[in-house]
Amino acid sequence: MGSQARIDKYSPLDSQDAKWIKLDKIDWTDQAGVSRVWEVASRKTRGSTGVDAVAIAPIILRPNTPAAVLILHQYRPPVGAMCIELPAGLIDPGETIEEAALRELKEEAGLVGRIVEVSPTICSDPGMTTANMQLVVVEAEMAEGEELGKQDLQDSEWIETEIVPMSKLLDRLLELSKEGNVVDSKLYHWAYGIRFAMQNAAKYKLDGPAS
Amino acid sequence: MGSQARIDKYSPLDSQDAKWIKLDKIDWTDQAGVSRVWEVASRKTRGSTGVDAVAIAPIILRPNTPAAVLILHQYRPPVGAMCIELPAGLIDPGETIEEAALRELKEEAGLVGRIVEVSPTICSDPGMTTANMQLVVVEAEMAEGEELGKQDLQDSEWIETEIVPMSKLLDRLLELSKEGNVVDSKLYHWAYGIRFAMQNAAKYKLDGPAS
């Protein structure tokens, strides 16, 4: 990686001058029949799938090592900081969710895997944006000591990969956060859920009969 | 709940006419020293805490029942559908994260709880927005058969609550999704992490030594 990325300037942007995103006013009628207004930001790039983006939870399996997760370090101008995220990307025209997931994982991390599970379409920030996505869980087998393949990044992309033991994922995210990185909320919630279940199975009776 | 909410009209909105959100162009310099442009949506409401919002993971503990989670059903104009979410809200001026969390939980769900854990500041959708948040885990004890307190909603809020056994949370979210609701990505990732750890502890050696 070269020197540090930096923000030089913010300037107001009108929707019609933007290439990627826009603002809209929504006139809507609530459950009581009252007319109301909401303001929303959207991506201009959503295609025929109706889904903006895919995120990938890449599980790395090695013969003698507990399962690990691949995460990315990436400077994000909207946050003005290095962000810690799952591999993710927008869906290209004509692409399925599964194709986009395997392509992004290969490009961003040099990793080839097989799809284990695909989530329904979920919304990213439903009070503010139309943005939506699907989460694809991918398993990839690697030999002990094997390294990730070559990334295939665009000129504008600088992405570092890190492989973290799954049982220590939350600890690592908290450490990276303390060091000044900003963790993506979806990665954090997933890691927190894993740790939460590991620690609280007995206290919360997660194995017991649910009622 | 009254009749169904609906979208009547979308119209383009300029940042200067918007009350809640805005678009900006970011001029930034990448790690190679190349000048680049990024487009970003932001909330206009961020206050002195530097954090836009809080989400609450409310764990309900009853004497003879496995732990449960409180989730919300709420019509969201940006998504044009009923969304399934954790309780959440923007942080009021002068409020701490902890105060906002307990206030929102009381207002949206009529539930009083105690804070167990507060996440670092995490970013909501770092490729598109500056939006950030903190996740606050809250435990609330209820008697068997006790009902939630009265909600304290604004005129424009219609929120239904549901209590779901934690071990069945992901199943319930998938069911609600099939019925046409849209699940929030953060709630989904947390629920998925819980289920993931419950199902895969042995396969992924989550209890073994991490390396």
Coordinates of all heavy atoms in Angstrom, one line a residue, chain B residues 53-89:
Chain B
A53 N -27.1 7.4 14.9 CA -28.2 6.6 15.3 C -27.7 5.5 16.3 O -26.6 5.2 16.4 CB -28.8 5.9 14.1
V54 N -28.7 4.9 17.0 CA -28.5 3.8 17.9 C -29.5 2.7 17.5 O -30.6 3.0 17.1 CB -28.7 4.3 19.3 CG1 -30.1 4.7 19.6 CG2 -28.3 3.2 20.3
A55 N -29.0 1.5 17.5 CA -29.9 0.3 17.4 C -29.8 -0.5 18.7 O -28.7 -0.5 19.3 CB -29.5 -0.5 16.2
I56 N -30.9 -1.1 19.1 CA -31.0 -1.8 20.3 C -31.3 -3.3 20.1 O -32.2 -3.6 19.4 CB -32.0 -1.2 21.3 CG1 -31.8 0.3 21.5 CG2 -32.1 -1.9 22.6 CD1 -32.7 1.2 20.7
A57 N -30.5 -4.2 20.7 CA -30.8 -5.6 20.6 C -31.4 -5.9 22.0 O -30.7 -6.0 23.0 CB -29.5 -6.4 20.4
P58 N -32.7 -6.0 22.1 CA -33.4 -6.2 23.3 C -33.6 -7.7 23.6 O -34.4 -8.3 22.9 CB -34.7 -5.5 23.2 CG -34.8 -5.1 21.7 CD -33.7 -5.8 21.0
I59 N -33.0 -8.2 24.7 CA -33.1 -9.6 25.1 C -34.1 -9.6 26.2 O -33.9 -9.0 27.3 CB -31.7 -10.1 25.6 CG1 -30.6 -9.6 24.7 CG2 -31.8 -11.6 25.8 CD1 -30.6 -10.1 23.3
I60 N -35.1 -10.4 26.1 CA -36.1 -10.6 27.1 C -35.9 -11.9 27.9 O -35.9 -12.9 27.3 CB -37.5 -10.5 26.5 CG1 -37.7 -9.1 25.9 CG2 -38.6 -10.9 27.5 CD1 -39.0 -8.8 25.2
L61 N -35.8 -11.7 29.2 CA -35.5 -12.9 30.0 C -36.8 -13.1 30.9 O -37.2 -12.2 31.6 CB -34.3 -12.6 30.9 CG -33.0 -12.2 30.2 CD1 -31.9 -11.8 31.2 CD2 -32.5 -13.4 29.4
R62 N -37.3 -14.3 30.9 CA -38.4 -14.7 31.7 C -38.0 -16.0 32.5 O -37.1 -16.7 32.0 CB -39.6 -15.0 30.9 CG -40.2 -13.7 30.3 CD -41.3 -13.9 29.3 NE -40.7 -14.4 28.1 CZ -41.4 -14.4 26.9 NH1 -42.6 -13.9 26.8 NH2 -40.8 -14.9 25.8
P63 N -38.6 -16.2 33.7 CA -38.0 -17.2 34.6 C -38.0 -18.6 33.9 O -37.0 -19.3 34.1 CB -39.0 -17.2 35.8 CG -39.7 -15.9 35.7 CD -39.7 -15.5 34.3
N64 N -39.0 -19.0 33.2 CA -39.0 -20.4 32.7 C -39.1 -20.5 31.2 O -39.6 -21.5 30.7 CB -40.3 -21.1 33.3 CG -40.3 -21.0 34.9 OD1 -39.3 -21.3 35.5 ND2 -41.4 -20.5 35.4
T65 N -38.6 -19.5 30.5 CA -38.7 -19.5 29.1 C -37.3 -19.2 28.5 O -36.7 -18.3 29.0 CB -39.7 -18.4 28.7 OG1 -40.9 -18.6 29.4 CG2 -40.0 -18.4 27.2
P66 N -36.9 -19.8 27.5 CA -35.6 -19.4 26.8 C -35.6 -18.0 26.4 O -36.7 -17.4 26.2 CB -35.5 -20.4 25.6 CG -36.4 -21.5 26.0 CD -37.5 -21.0 26.8
A67 N -34.5 -17.4 26.4 CA -34.4 -15.9 26.0 C -35.0 -15.6 24.7 O -35.0 -16.4 23.8 CB -32.9 -15.6 26.0
A68 N -35.6 -14.4 24.6 CA -36.3 -14.0 23.4 C -35.8 -12.6 23.0 O -35.1 -11.9 23.8 CB -37.8 -14.0 23.6
V69 N -36.1 -12.3 21.8 CA -35.6 -11.0 21.2 C -36.8 -10.2 20.8 O -37.8 -10.8 20.2 CB -34.7 -11.2 20.0 CG1 -34.3 -9.9 19.4 CG2 -33.5 -12.1 20.4
L70 N -36.8 -8.9 21.0 CA -37.9 -8.1 20.6 C -37.6 -7.4 19.2 O -36.5 -6.8 19.1 CB -38.2 -7.0 21.6 CG -39.4 -6.1 21.3 CD1 -40.1 -5.8 22.6 CD2 -39.0 -4.8 20.6
I71 N -38.4 -7.6 18.3 CA -38.2 -7.0 16.9 C -39.5 -6.2 16.6 O -40.5 -6.3 17.2 CB -38.0 -8.1 15.8 CG1 -39.2 -9.0 15.7 CG2 -36.7 -8.8 16.1 CD1 -39.1 -10.1 14.6
L72 N -39.3 -5.3 15.6 CA -40.3 -4.3 15.2 C -40.8 -4.6 13.8 O -40.0 -4.9 12.9 CB -39.8 -2.9 15.3 CG -39.3 -2.4 16.7 CD1 -38.9 -0.9 16.6 CD2 -40.2 -2.7 17.8
H73 N -42.0 -4.4 13.5 CA -42.6 -4.3 12.2 C -43.0 -2.8 12.0 O -43.7 -2.3 12.7 CB -43.9 -5.1 12.1 CG -43.8 -6.6 12.4 ND1 -44.4 -7.5 11.6 CD2 -43.1 -7.3 13.3 CE1 -44.1 -8.7 12.0 NE2 -43.3 -8.6 13.1
Q74 N -42.5 -2.3 10.9 CA -42.7 -0.9 10.7 C -42.7 -0.6 9.1 O -41.7 -1.0 8.4 CB -41.5 -0.1 11.3 CG -41.6 1.4 11.3 CD -40.5 2.0 12.1 OE1 -39.5 1.4 12.5 NE2 -40.6 3.3 12.4
Y75 N -43.6 0.2 8.7 CA -43.7 0.5 7.2 C -42.6 1.6 7.0 O -42.5 2.6 7.7 CB -45.0 1.1 6.8 CG -45.1 1.4 5.4 CD1 -45.3 0.4 4.4 CD2 -44.9 2.7 4.9 CE1 -45.4 0.7 3.1 CE2 -44.9 3.0 3.5 CZ -45.2 2.0 2.6 OH -45.2 2.2 1.3
R76 N -41.7 1.3 6.0 CA -40.6 2.2 5.7 C -40.8 2.7 4.3 O -40.5 2.0 3.3 CB -39.3 1.5 5.8 CG -39.0 1.1 7.2 CD -38.7 2.3 8.1 NE -37.8 2.1 9.2 CZ -37.3 3.0 10.0 NH1 -37.6 4.3 9.7 NH2 -36.5 2.7 11.0
P77 N -41.1 4.0 4.1 CA -41.3 4.6 2.7 C -40.0 4.3 1.8 O -40.2 4.0 0.6 CB -41.6 6.0 3.0 CG -42.2 6.1 4.3 CD -41.5 5.0 5.1
P78 N -38.8 4.5 2.3 CA -37.7 4.2 1.4 C -37.7 2.9 0.8 O -37.2 2.7 -0.4 CB -36.4 4.4 2.3 CG -36.9 5.4 3.3 CD -38.3 5.0 3.6
V79 N -38.2 1.9 1.5 CA -38.3 0.5 1.0 C -39.6 0.2 0.4 O -39.8 -0.7 -0.4 CB -37.9 -0.5 2.1 CG1 -37.9 -1.9 1.6 CG2 -36.5 -0.1 2.7
G80 N -40.6 1.0 0.7 CA -42.0 0.8 0.2 C -42.6 -0.5 0.7 O -43.3 -1.2 0.0
A81 N -42.2 -0.9 1.9 CA -42.7 -2.2 2.4 C -42.6 -2.2 4.0 O -42.0 -1.3 4.6 CB -41.8 -3.3 1.9
M82 N -43.3 -3.2 4.6 CA -43.1 -3.4 6.0 C -41.7 -3.9 6.2 O -41.3 -4.9 5.6 CB -44.1 -4.4 6.5 CG -45.6 -3.9 6.5 SD -45.9 -2.5 7.6 CE -45.7 -3.3 9.2
C83 N -40.9 -3.2 7.1 CA -39.6 -3.7 7.4 C -39.6 -4.3 8.8 O -40.3 -3.9 9.7 CB -38.6 -2.6 7.3 SG -38.3 -2.1 5.6
I84 N -38.7 -5.3 9.0 CA -38.5 -6.0 10.2 C -37.2 -5.5 10.8 O -36.1 -5.8 10.1 CB -38.6 -7.5 10.1 CG1 -39.8 -7.9 9.2 CG2 -38.5 -8.2 11.4 CD1 -41.1 -7.6 9.8
E85 N -37.2 -4.9 11.9 CA -35.9 -4.3 12.4 C -35.8 -4.4 13.9 O -36.7 -4.7 14.6 CB -36.0 -2.8 12.1 CG -36.2 -2.4 10.7 CD -36.4 -0.9 10.5 OE1 -35.6 -0.1 11.0 OE2 -37.4 -0.5 9.8
L86 N -34.6 -4.2 14.4 CA -34.4 -3.9 15.8 C -34.9 -2.5 16.1 O -34.9 -1.7 15.2 CB -32.9 -4.0 16.1 CG -32.2 -5.4 16.0 CD1 -30.7 -5.3 16.2 CD2 -32.8 -6.3 17.1
P87 N -35.3 -2.3 17.4 CA -35.6 -0.9 17.7 C -34.4 0.0 17.4 O -33.2 -0.5 17.6 CB -35.8 -1.0 19.2 CG -36.2 -2.4 19.5 CD -35.5 -3.2 18.5
A88 N -34.6 1.2 17.0 CA -33.5 2.1 16.6 C -34.0 3.5 16.5 O -35.2 3.7 16.4 CB -32.9 1.7 15.3
G89 N -33.1 4.5 16.5 CA -33.5 5.8 16.3 C -32.3 6.8 16.2 O -31.2 6.4 16.5

